[in-house]
Amino acid sequence: EDDLYIGAANKVRLYLAVAASAAGSTITDPDNKHYLDFAGGWAVATTGYSHPRVVDAISSAMERLSFASLSSLTHPAAVELAKRLLEVVPSAKPGRRKVSFGLSGSDANDGIAKLLPMARKRPKMISFLGGMHGMTGISAGISGHPAMGRFPSSTGVTRVPYPYPYRPAFGTAESCGREAVRFIEEQILTTVSPPEMTSGILVEAIQSDGGVIVPPADFMPALRALCDKYDMFLIDDEVKVGMGRSGRLWACQLTGTAPDIMVIGKGVASGQSMSATVAPAEILDVLAAGHAFTTAGAPVACAAAIATLDVVRDEKLAENAGAQGEFIMNGIREMASRHRLIGEVRGAGLIIGVELVLDPVTKAPATKECAKLVVRCQQLGLLVHYVGIFSQVIELTPPLVLTRAEATTGLEIFEQALSDVENGRVPDSELDAISGW
């Protein structure tokens, strides 16, 4: 019925499964089969499924004020959420900041790509190959992910290589971050995107859909210094890696790098439609109604986001993400000695990438095997996703409430599925009904 009634444009189907209910880190289908969720709905389930405090906040908000369009009628929850975000989002700019609300990371990045060049009177921007910033027209156009290469792109955006230590475009695993920044300064800023025409650089502190790529620790500080040198804004896309997922509230804090603008989405409201942009006031005030949406910043979504911030703080979910993530990464690294497909395990907190390769020397991507592993995990009761520019990286983004017992169970299922793929127990036909990514 899903295939009959719902358009394929809505879907990224990596396996065939149905969600009927969920709680904590477990999803249950209509036949009462339980799945341990190591995908978290593409990193949206920050506080897990149906966290009592989030449910109570949503229920109370719905009873009190079911809807008000922030575009024309303000309400207390929106103001409170804006204040809360301004308290916890780091900034390199000392002046006044404001918050803009949207429905997804896509429209938030879309807004910055419109408003920043207008406010700064500099029409160009720089982003990174492999970067995934959204599915709307402009946000897709500023992305560098292969899935967005099918659509028209913005002529005002120059894409440059992201420092990928396992597959460096420049230098070595250790130097690729510095070399990437040097390339921007010596090549891009002197040719196609001069500083006086470039409003900012858009970056993910950990590149998520590009393959869970953790750059060298000196990359983000070097990028910050470059932006300062040429009076460009550093825009940090924390849509997937923020809200405690990296083991810190924001992934940029892993390297002590404060951005000028932060884009927030996915897990900020535990599954309610919400995004937020925190930026200097002159950017978000540049044009009245310049990026307004009827249902953005709705009372129920704002209440969910406030409750999510409370739960992340009170239950120390960033710290839990760090502890459980280290346990999972160590477990999979230990597996690598027994499994030829594992090329590298990387990540921070509970955003983890397992890169699969056919050969450890050539690093040929194990694309088909990666898709089979996702399917086999689902068949055995574990939900994971794959990402990467070659579709060769298993991405693990469980809810931040994940327990040690659940992490242990997930590792056991993952290794069984990996063995089944390596031993040829998952035929090619298993992928016939999968749309892929």
Side-chain angles (χ1 to χ4, degrees):
E1 287 183 319
D2 173 275
D3 185 58
L4 182 63
Y5 298 123
I6 301 176
N10 267 165
K11 303 173 186 178
V12 180
R13 296 292 167 78
L14 308 183
Y15 40 71
L16 300 180
V18 179
S21 62
S25 300
T26 302
I27 292 175
T28 303
D29 77 4
D31 297 319
N32 207 37
K33 178 176 179 178
H34 301 295
Y35 295 101
L36 179 57
D37 186 13
F38 266 32
W42 298 101
V44 168
T46 303
T47 59
Y49 295 96
S50 303
H51 191 289
R53 292 178 65 180
V54 178
V55 170
D56 287 347
I58 290 173
S59 177
S60 296
M62 193 69 185
E63 291 178 349
R64 183 172 56 250
L65 180 64
S66 63
F67 180 69
S69 180
L70 186 63
S71 60
S72 57
L73 190 65
T74 193
H75 58 86
V79 175
E80 175 64 18
L81 177 58
K83 289 179 180 178
R84 291 285 301 275
L85 289 172
L86 289 169
E87 289 173 357
V88 298
V89 172
S91 174
K93 291 284 189 290
R96 187 181 178 201
R97 295 182 297 161
K98 288 190 175 182
V99 177
S100 173
F101 292 120
L103 301 169
S104 72
S106 295
D107 63 55
N109 279 309
D110 200 305
I112 279 301
K114 289 194 305 185
L115 302 179
L116 180 62
M118 181 183 297
R120 304 223 62 211
K121 297 181 171 56
R122 297 181 179 188
K124 294 178 177 287
M125 292 178 64
I126 295 170
S127 65
F128 289 86
L129 296 171
M132 175 61 180
H133 302 292
M135 281 275 189
T136 57
I138 297 178
S139 65
I142 60 177
S143 296
H145 192 279
M148 301 299 100
R150 302 166 293 176
F151 307 112
S153 62
S154 169
T155 56
V157 174
T158 301
R159 296 165 191 79
V160 298
Y162 191 86
Y164 192 165
Y166 190 64
R167 300 176 183 272
F170 305 117
T172 65
E174 294 74 25
S175 70
C176 62
R178 299 188 302 275
E179 292 296 322
V181 175
R182 186 173 69 84
F183 176 78
I184 295 172
E185 181 170 27
E186 295 184 0
Q187 300 295 326
I188 303 304
L189 296 183
T190 59
T191 56
V192 295
S193 193
E196 66 274 13
M197 297 286 287
T198 304
S199 57
I201 299 178
L202 174 62
V203 67
E204 296 166 271
I206 297 173
Q207 200 175 73
S208 50
D209 288 5
V212 191
I213 302 168
V214 182
D218 57 4
F219 168 64
M220 287 292 287
L223 203 58
R224 170 74 272 168
L226 182 73
C227 287
D228 290 340
K229 182 176 179 179
Y230 293 102
D231 189 27
M232 299 181 298
F233 276 45
L234 180 61
I235 309 127
D236 178 23
D237 182 341
E238 295 264 351
V239 169
K240 199 169 187 177
V241 299
M243 290 300 295
R245 181 155 298 280
S246 70
R248 300 293 298 275
L249 187 57
W250 312 111
C252 64
Q253 293 173 321
L254 293 169
T255 58
T257 306
D260 302 306
I261 296 171
M262 184 178 287
V263 180
I264 305 163
K266 289 192 184 293
V268 68
S270 294
Q272 298 300 298
S273 295
M274 166 66 68
S275 64
T277 302
V278 180
E282 65 266 24
I283 307 302
L284 299 182
D285 284 342
V286 66
L287 180 66
H291 199 64
F293 301 92
T294 307
T295 55
V300 173
C302 288
I306 293 168
T308 299
L309 285 167
D310 287 342
V311 171
V312 169
R313 178 197 62 205
D314 297 345
E315 299 187 9
K316 300 186 182 331
L317 294 190
E319 292 86 341
N320 187 61
Q324 306 308 338
E326 182 179 12
F327 176 77
I328 291 170
M329 283 190 280
N330 287 340
I332 300 176
R333 287 177 179 133
E334 191 273 331
M335 287 180 205
S337 62
R338 302 187 296 275
H339 296 279
R340 57 179 174 78
L341 283 175
I342 297 177
E344 185 181 52
V345 182
R346 54 182 179 258
L350 285 176
I351 178 159
I352 299 167
V354 184
E355 180 151 358
L356 303 186
V357 296
L358 297 174
D359 184 279
V361 177
T362 66
K363 301 179 183 177
T367 299
K368 182 181 290 187
E369 291 76 10
C370 192
K372 288 182 177 181
L373 180 53
V374 170
V375 170
R376 187 60 180 145
C377 280
Q378 179 264 323
Q379 292 170 346
L380 295 175
L382 178 70
L383 301 184
V384 301
H385 291 151
Y386 69 75
V387 293
I389 57 174
F390 305 113
S391 302
Q392 85 290 14
V393 179
I394 298 293
E395 181 185 70
L396 308 178
T397 51
L400 306 191
V401 295
L402 189 77
T403 66
R404 182 57 53 89
E406 290 169 334
T408 300
T409 299
L411 285 171
E412 292 170 352
I413 297 173
F414 186 86
E415 183 162 25
Q416 178 60 60
L418 186 58
S419 295
D420 290 347
V421 171
E422 289 178 337
N423 292 320
R425 300 192 188 105
V426 184
D428 290 356
S429 59
E430 294 283 5
L431 303 180
D432 289 347
I434 307 302
S435 64
W437 168 225

